[in-house]
Amino acid sequence: MLKILGYINNDLKKITLNELSEEYSLIWIDCYAPSDDELLQLSKKIDIEIEELKVGLDEQEVPRVEEEDEYYLIIYKAPLFEEDITTTSFGIYIKDNIILTLHIDKIKSIGKIYNLLKTKKPKILLDRGKGFFLYNLLNQITLSYSKIILNLEDELDKLESNLLQDQNNITGEILQLRKTLVYFHKALVSNKDVLSILKRKYLPITTQDDREHIEDLYYDTLQLIDMETTYRELLVSMMDMSLSLENIRMNQIMKVLTMVTTLFAVPVWITGIYGMNFKYMPLLNNPYGFWIVMGISAIIILILLYVFLKEKWIK
């Protein structure tokens, strides 16, 4: 699917591939999960090989900045909202007055930029050139990471509360959050390297002001990496605590079972002896023999209970 916006004389227009022209000061093409025919037409119009465009569609590509003869390629990582929150790579191609975002997955941050352009004055985002628009695009992605990580802080508070209340079945939630943070760590570190190049390298697509904005974005990303690392370490600690509490619960259960076994071990031993096929045994013919044996067994059980209570094994 192709969405094309052209900016000319403080006016934003929705155009088609056939209407691409150098008259526009800036053209943004957003290409989401394109068909083979759309990719072919796009390749012909902007004069970039299909194989090179497919690089931007590979969600496993490593973030980087490439300087080609006629265009620049930036691979960047964005959060991906599916059943689980993960990350995906997408491509940003910059050539002449065209900025092309190419992605196989639906990226909410790009959708937000598109809505901003359609609902507010586009002059704010487009009048300052390609570099400033690139900054806003990358900034929107960074904001998405930030919002998710801040929401994870609330999730961590809930998990910690459930853990202290000795609730079960939180191990799966801890593992899921930790998995998300691992994805984020890899993505943010890779994005940091891209921002490092963009902020210090004098590329024709960015001005000095753009590089200063990107430098702020670089430090925001560093802060997100620190937050993510802290939360990940906290999750590891919570996992260790959860396993420790589970071991304590199992030990309590084994302790109760051991005490029950101990209480009835001697009576079972006594009754086992009287189950043996001997003709002569103490109290065997005594009319009160059964009750005497039961009384002895009860006394032994009471003595053992007293010992357990004195040693505070039973609370």
Side-chain angles (χ1 to χ4, degrees):
M1 183 173 66
L2 291 173
K3 294 180 180 178
I4 308 175
L5 296 176
Y7 182 68
I8 183 172
N9 298 327
N10 297 330
D11 187 26
L12 188 69
K13 297 181 180 179
K14 192 172 182 180
I15 61 178
T16 65
L17 276 177
N18 294 326
E19 296 175 305
L20 296 184
S21 169
E22 293 182 358
E23 295 179 357
Y24 293 96
S25 57
L26 183 61
I27 297 173
W28 177 31
I29 305 173
D30 181 42
C31 185
Y32 163 50
S35 63
D36 292 339
D37 185 55
E38 287 176 328
L39 204 60
L40 178 61
Q41 291 181 29
L42 182 62
S43 173
K44 290 179 179 178
K45 281 295 180 181
I46 64 176
D47 195 23
I48 298 178
E49 295 294 331
I50 290 181
E51 293 304 320
E52 295 173 351
L53 290 177
K54 286 183 178 179
V55 173
L57 292 173
D58 188 352
E59 56 188 354
Q60 300 299 326
E61 280 289 332
V62 177
R64 62 187 182 276
V65 178
E66 290 186 2
E67 298 180 61
E68 302 295 339
D69 293 335
E70 297 181 351
Y71 67 91
Y72 292 88
L73 168 61
I74 300 170
I75 301 293
Y76 210 68
K77 285 276 189 181
L80 181 62
F81 299 84
E82 292 183 334
E83 293 182 1
D84 303 326
I85 300 176
T86 57
T87 59
T88 185
S89 294
F90 73 101
I92 304 172
Y93 295 79
I94 303 176
K95 181 179 181 181
D96 300 328
N97 64 333
I98 296 174
I99 294 181
L100 166 66
T101 50
L102 198 57
H103 47 104
I104 196 68
D105 299 301
K106 188 174 182 179
I107 299 175
K108 287 188 175 182
S109 303
I110 295 178
K112 287 181 179 178
I113 289 287
Y114 186 84
N115 292 333
L116 282 173
L117 290 174
K118 295 293 289 183
T119 57
K120 296 186 178 181
K121 292 182 179 180
K123 184 176 180 180
I124 300 173
L125 296 177
L126 301 177
D127 204 38
R128 296 172 63 178
K130 295 176 289 187
F132 189 71
F133 180 77
L134 174 64
Y135 157 73
N136 279 280
L137 179 60
L138 301 182
N139 182 52
Q140 193 62 237
I141 292 169
T142 304
L143 286 175
S144 294
Y145 281 114
S146 179
K147 289 177 182 178
I148 296 170
I149 290 177
L150 289 175
N151 289 335
L152 286 179
E153 185 176 1
D154 296 334
E155 291 292 328
L156 288 174
D157 290 338
K158 291 179 183 178
L159 283 176
E160 188 175 9
S161 177
N162 292 338
L163 187 61
L164 293 175
Q165 293 173 9
D166 203 23
Q167 293 188 12
N168 296 325
N169 302 323
I170 66 170
T171 304
E173 297 178 45
I174 293 175
L175 289 174
Q176 186 56 54
L177 287 179
R178 188 168 181 270
K179 178 182 176 183
T180 298
L181 288 174
V182 168
Y183 279 121
F184 276 21
H185 179 77
K186 293 179 179 179
L188 288 171
V189 169
S190 299
N191 287 352
K192 174 183 70 71
D193 295 338
V194 171
L195 293 171
S196 177
I197 294 173
L198 292 175
K199 77 180 180 67
R200 62 181 169 79
K201 199 165 186 178
Y202 293 91
L203 301 175
I205 58 176
T206 57
T207 64
Q208 181 61 35
D209 288 340
D210 297 332
R211 287 189 284 272
E212 289 176 1
H213 285 113
I214 291 173
E215 185 173 8
D216 293 337
L217 200 56
Y218 171 82
Y219 289 114
D220 289 342
T221 303
L222 282 180
Q223 186 177 7
L224 287 177
I225 292 173
D226 290 338
M227 291 174 62
E228 174 274 326
T229 302
T230 300
Y231 293 159
R232 192 152 41 90
E233 290 175 354
L234 182 58
L235 280 172
V236 172
S237 300
M238 290 175 64
M239 176 62 77
D240 292 339
M241 186 183 299
S242 176
L243 293 175
S244 297
L245 291 174
E246 188 66 30
N247 288 333
I248 290 172
R249 284 193 290 268
M250 289 300 298
N251 289 338
Q252 290 292 338
I253 294 172
M254 293 304 298
K255 185 178 178 181
V256 171
L257 292 175
T258 301
M259 286 189 291
V260 170
T261 302
T262 303
L263 287 173
F264 290 97
V266 176
V268 168
W269 174 64
I270 293 173
T271 54
I273 290 176
Y274 276 88
M276 297 168 64
N277 294 322
F278 289 110
K279 185 176 181 180
Y280 302 102
M281 294 185 71
L283 305 175
L284 192 61
N285 297 316
N286 192 312
Y288 301 104
F290 172 78
W291 298 110
I292 293 173
V293 171
M294 290 297 102
I296 293 172
S297 299
I299 290 171
I300 292 172
I301 290 174
L302 291 173
I303 292 172
L304 290 173
L305 280 173
Y306 172 75
V307 172
F308 293 157
L309 289 171
K310 186 177 179 181
E311 294 295 333
K312 297 182 178 180
W313 293 348
I314 299 177
K315 297 181 181 180

